[in-house]
Amino acid sequence: MSTDLLPPVAPEVLAEAVEHLTARLRKKLDAAVEGCATGATPAERAADGTVTIRFGEDAVVTLRPGPGGAVDTAERAACTCLLAPRCLHRAAALGAAPLADAPAAPEPEPEAEADPGRPAAAAPATGMEGPGGPAATTGPAAAAGGPENPSGGAEARPPALTAAQTAAADALWRAGAEALAAGATAAGAVVQAELLRAAHSARVAGLPRAEAATLRLVRGLRSARERSGNHRLSDLAASFLELLQTAALLASGTADPAWTGTSRRAYRPGGHLRVYGLCREPVLTATGYGGVVTHLLSQDGGRHSLSDVRPGGLARAKGAGSASVVLGGAALDHAGLARGGLRIAGATVSPDGRLGAGRGVQAHPMPGIPWTSEPAAALFARPAAEAVAAQLAAPDPDGAGPALLGCDVTVLGPAGEDLLVREDRPGGPVLRLRAAHPHPELPHLENLRRIASHPGLALRVLGRPDLDRAATLRPLAVSPVPGAAYTLRLPDGLLGRADLGYDRLQGDNFPPRSAAPQTPPAEPGPDPLAESPLWRADRLLESGVAGGRRAVAEAGRGPEPLAAYGPLRRAGFTTAAELAADLAAEADRRPRDAFGRLTDPSADAYAWAWLAAATHLAAARRALVAASWA
């Protein structure tokens, strides 16, 4: 049976089904789930979406999705066996089905919206003191690197979280710690159900941010156990880090209530706005959504965006670039808006700059501006290194990701699928331009290949820095450099710029190669991230994510750790070496009594040690990324 046949299942429904199993049946659950996923149990799907899975002559499980397309209540999953609903068949079918997203609260009218917005993202902290260290939960300012008051004002600190919220966060911490100690290889359906039960408690207590982090972790564990092609241990480690950081902060009871998150996008009145298009960006997700985001800039330099993302995958991502703009009756499409502008009355704006389409919004088209005019020109006036350093130093308050930055560059040549360029500033760094989306049916890769075939080409680039890689920019749009002799030639209808995700550059958009200036051979700049020995500590953390506490303990035995952490100390990463050694020692600390029973079975101290090391390494990597741009 293909799991594609199964409807998504609400996390709490799966958690309840596993909770009702006896200890004997729980031991058989992983094998039963795997049998469902590999086709050992036949299944049929009816026209109304109902799926029946046959486990034998006397056991047939029926999954009936609700109006939202998911099995959202226990009554929608039934089995015909005598043990139902506390049976292995029903739990296995639910465990093999994909997880449904958390239900979003209904969005109120923007005119009445007064939500303070989403919280600051948990950026890596450097104050972790090790296992059980109090500095790990000293408040959001320590974790996010910013002020405790997210609004930036001087008013008094809001009241602490409720007892129910701190209890839910504490339960989430314990579930996350146990999953980390087990590792992906042992984190089967039972461990995942414990996480899902804690996630449901977090939702009930009003902690949507913690719930979302938990669901991402469970999906990551499933991908790891299924050996999915999209699975990466580094991504799973990042999911563990996000969950443990958030849970620890909330469980302390001293966190700002803004750290609880919000289950819907909050829009607030934005008054009258004049916004100008910068570029379009196709959106294509692994869950089948596709569309476009048009990036905009207001007269005062404020960043805004207008998105149109719906189910539809690649076809919709390609077609949405020219779809009509749904905002206040504006007779404009996204292609026109990317090079035009809007005058908006009664605007509504989310904390991350997205424009809402509330009832009172009225929008009228107006002419756009070239990148050489203000406020767009300011995006290219600042050195890229300064812009990246500012983004790395500040928290991401709304989870929107890196902000757009612009720079003038000279093309050096290809580097595999990437493009090497040098920023046109005295002592400018060599940057790597990587496709914003690598799908072969989107023109990102093709456009970069065409540009790479013209060394010496002067180019103005607008893109998003990749904060996880050294000196890497993901370009969204390009334009000629004003006053440059050897640069792009774009028709007037494009307003002097091309969206790399939608516009395909042709031969007549480039100057003749005979006019190309002499350029040095294309060589990537120094990569302090790749050259550092931090990978040695990363490997220890990722081995724990994959194999659990036992794998870390095995790696820490014998003389090998001394040889592994020596390069860290010699390179100046003494704190990373100490934290890695502490983690290995804590993983191997399993005191037992005279009868061989564990005297301290809790995974709490081990989770603290892992979190301290992971948080420090994340901060160290970001410092190296910032250095690569300088």
Side-chain angles (χ1 to χ4, degrees):
M1 176 191 67
S2 171
T3 55
D4 294 338
L5 287 176
L6 300 177
V9 172
E12 63 271 18
V13 174
L14 173 57
E16 183 184 13
V18 176
E19 183 180 13
H20 288 162
L21 294 180
T22 64
R24 181 179 63 85
L25 292 179
R26 289 189 181 193
K27 294 179 181 179
K28 300 180 180 181
L29 181 56
D30 285 337
V33 170
E34 185 177 356
C36 287
T38 56
T41 52
E44 295 180 359
R45 184 169 187 168
D48 62 353
T50 298
V51 177
T52 56
I53 308 108
R54 187 172 296 278
F55 287 85
E57 294 183 0
D58 300 324
V60 178
V61 175
T62 303
L63 303 180
R64 296 184 178 87
V71 179
D72 51 8
T73 63
E75 292 73 19
R76 296 188 181 278
C79 181
T80 59
C81 78
L82 296 176
L83 291 179
R86 303 169 182 267
C87 64
L88 181 64
H89 316 111
R90 180 173 175 272
L94 292 172
L99 285 178
D101 292 324
E107 185 176 321
E109 289 300 325
E111 292 82 2
E113 183 60 56
D115 195 301
R118 296 172 62 187
T126 56
M128 297 290 183
E129 301 296 335
T137 55
T138 53
E148 291 186 350
N149 183 358
S151 65
E155 59 265 26
R157 181 183 180 87
L161 304 183
T162 67
Q165 289 175 321
T166 55
D170 185 63
L172 203 53
W173 165 269
R174 292 196 304 271
E178 292 295 337
L180 179 66
T185 55
V190 175
V191 173
Q192 294 171 27
E194 291 297 328
L195 286 167
L196 295 177
R197 183 179 299 108
H200 179 62
S201 299
R203 187 210 307 171
V204 172
L207 302 176
R209 177 177 179 173
E211 181 200 13
T214 310
L215 295 183
R216 279 192 291 271
L217 174 59
V218 172
R219 291 189 176 103
L221 289 171
R222 287 187 168 194
S223 295
R225 291 177 60 81
E226 295 167 0
R227 295 177 175 84
S228 168
N230 296 327
H231 161 67
R232 294 193 309 169
L233 274 179
S234 57
D235 293 338
L236 188 57
S239 295
F240 268 113
L241 175 59
E242 179 188 12
L243 172 62
L244 293 177
Q245 278 187 333
T246 304
L249 186 60
L250 293 172
S252 70
T254 60
D256 192 297
W259 279 83
T260 61
T262 178
S263 58
R264 52 173 168 76
R265 187 174 301 278
Y267 288 88
R268 291 178 285 186
H272 295 269
L273 285 178
R274 289 175 179 263
V275 294
Y276 303 96
L278 291 173
C279 64
R280 294 168 293 168
E281 177 182 6
V283 177
L284 182 61
T285 73
T287 54
Y289 283 78
V292 63
V293 173
T294 298
H295 298 278
L296 307 160
L297 204 61
S298 63
Q299 275 187 316
D300 60 0
R303 313 282 179 99
H304 297 279
S305 65
L306 192 62
S307 62
D308 181 7
V309 180
R310 303 176 190 174
L314 177 65
R316 190 162 202 294
K318 295 167 67 175
S322 56
S324 298
V325 171
V326 182
L327 182 70
L332 199 64
D333 59 22
H334 281 272
L337 178 58
R339 294 174 175 84
L342 283 177
R343 186 173 63 254
I344 308 174
T348 59
V349 186
S350 75
D352 62 354
R354 297 201 183 192
L355 298 175
R359 286 187 305 188
V361 177
Q362 295 181 352
H364 304 279
M366 64 180 189
I369 58 170
W371 285 357
T372 53
S373 300
E374 294 295 345
L379 295 173
F380 304 91
R382 190 180 190 185
E386 290 185 12
V388 171
Q391 293 193 38
L392 287 168
D396 180 9
D398 304 297
L404 299 185
L405 66 83
C407 57
D408 291 349
V409 301
T410 298
V411 174
L412 300 180
E417 295 289 347
D418 300 338
L419 170 63
L420 294 182
V421 299
R422 183 181 296 278
E423 186 179 8
D424 289 338
R425 293 184 182 276
V430 173
L431 308 179
R432 185 181 293 266
L433 302 189
R434 176 163 292 185
H437 203 297
H439 197 287
E441 294 195 39
L442 294 175
H444 290 286
L445 283 172
E446 179 186 344
N447 284 329
L448 288 184
R449 292 191 192 105
R450 286 185 176 272
I451 295 172
S453 65
H454 291 76
L457 186 74
L459 202 65
R460 176 161 284 188
V461 181
L462 182 67
R464 184 178 290 109
D466 189 334
L467 302 183
D468 294 323
R469 290 180 171 85
T472 299
L473 183 69
R474 296 189 180 269
L476 300 180
V478 294
S479 80
V481 174
Y486 191 68
T487 187
L488 285 177
R489 299 175 175 178
L490 299 179
D492 295 338
L494 293 182
L495 197 63
R497 55 196 186 245
D499 296 330
L500 296 179
Y502 288 104
D503 302 319
R504 296 183 183 271
L505 297 174
Q506 305 297 330
D508 57 356
N509 297 137
F510 296 90
R513 288 188 174 88
S514 59
Q518 293 294 325
T519 57
E523 295 182 2
D527 188 343
L529 194 60
E531 296 168 2
S532 79
L534 285 178
W535 62 268
R536 298 175 181 272
D538 276 325
R539 186 169 61 181
L540 181 68
L541 293 178
E542 292 178 3
S543 69
V545 166
R549 180 174 187 161
R550 179 176 297 180
V552 175
E554 290 291 338
R557 293 176 185 146
E560 184 179 353
L562 298 177
Y565 306 144
L568 283 170
R569 292 187 174 92
R570 288 192 293 273
F573 296 105
T574 54
T575 302
E578 294 296 332
L579 290 173
D582 289 346
L583 174 61
E586 180 58 40
D588 204 26
R589 189 186 67 83
R590 303 287 279 171
R592 299 179 182 272
D593 60 17
F595 300 98
R597 297 171 300 194
L598 288 173
T599 57
D600 183 15
S602 171
D604 214 45
Y606 171 74
W608 277 118
W610 189 94
L611 178 57
T615 302
H616 177 81
L617 287 176
R621 283 194 296 269
R622 288 204 159 204
L624 292 176
V625 169
S628 71
W629 286 80

